[in-house]
Amino acid sequence: MAGMMMLERSVGTACLPGMSAAASPAATTGNTLMVPRCTIRVEKCAGGAKLHCVCDDELACATLQNLCKSLCDGLCSVNCLMNGICVCQCNFAMCHCTCECTPDGVCITCCSGDEACCQMVQACCECLAQCLAAGCNCCVCFSGTPVCCGCC
């Protein structure tokens, strides 16, 4: 369980509209939601951005990879929280996101062939990098369902 993070449902739902316990495949207990803990790194790439989610724990890594495999066809978003309050939410609705398993987690690539959309994706990447550098806890979601949480 060292590789898992507890989120209070009331805090998480403030940034995750439409999320409910019934919609979440992750383990739930009372007013909390268990998601894999990871280290998140973002980088610009040709046509968009990449999110690298890396887990230290084997169980957390397997959980993250399974969640991503089952949910990756939905809208990808990242919610950044500082002191439990949502300070930023980036939705990658303007591009196509794919998820690739890595030996220690996943790499989510969000790209667009449209130049204006690519610029928006890369601006989101810069914003997320600033939030992570400032110490925000970020939660990566597919279709509003968290798949992992962590910081840089």
Side-chain angles (χ1 to χ4, degrees), residues 35-83:
V35 294
R37 180 188 308 265
C38 64
T39 301
I40 300 173
R41 183 174 51 88
V42 295
E43 66 175 313
K44 292 181 186 179
C45 67
K50 290 186 179 205
L51 293 99
H52 299 274
C53 304
V54 177
C55 299
D56 294 333
D57 179 81
E58 285 184 37
L59 178 61
C61 181
T63 302
L64 168 63
Q65 291 173 343
N66 287 331
L67 283 168
C68 287
K69 283 178 191 174
S70 64
L71 297 170
C72 70
D73 290 334
L75 169 69
C76 181
S77 62
V78 181
N79 306 292
C80 300
L81 297 113
M82 171 87 49
N83 298 323

Side-chain angles (χ1 to χ4, degrees), residues 77-152:
S77 62
V78 181
N79 306 292
C80 300
L81 297 113
M82 171 87 49
N83 298 323
I85 298 170
C86 186
V87 294
C88 176
Q89 182 177 24
C90 293
N91 293 307
F92 295 100
M94 73 295 267
C95 57
H96 178 71
C97 296
T98 59
C99 186
E100 175 186 342
C101 291
T102 61
D104 54 0
V106 296
C107 177
I108 301 166
T109 305
C110 298
C111 291
S112 175
D114 181 78
E115 183 61 31
C117 289
C118 175
Q119 290 174 357
M120 286 191 291
V121 171
Q122 292 186 343
C124 287
C125 178
E126 290 174 9
C127 179
L128 291 172
Q130 288 295 317
C131 288
L132 286 163
C136 286
N137 185 37
C138 293
C139 185
V140 179
C141 303
F142 283 109
S143 298
T145 301
V147 294
C148 69
C149 285
C151 52
C152 61

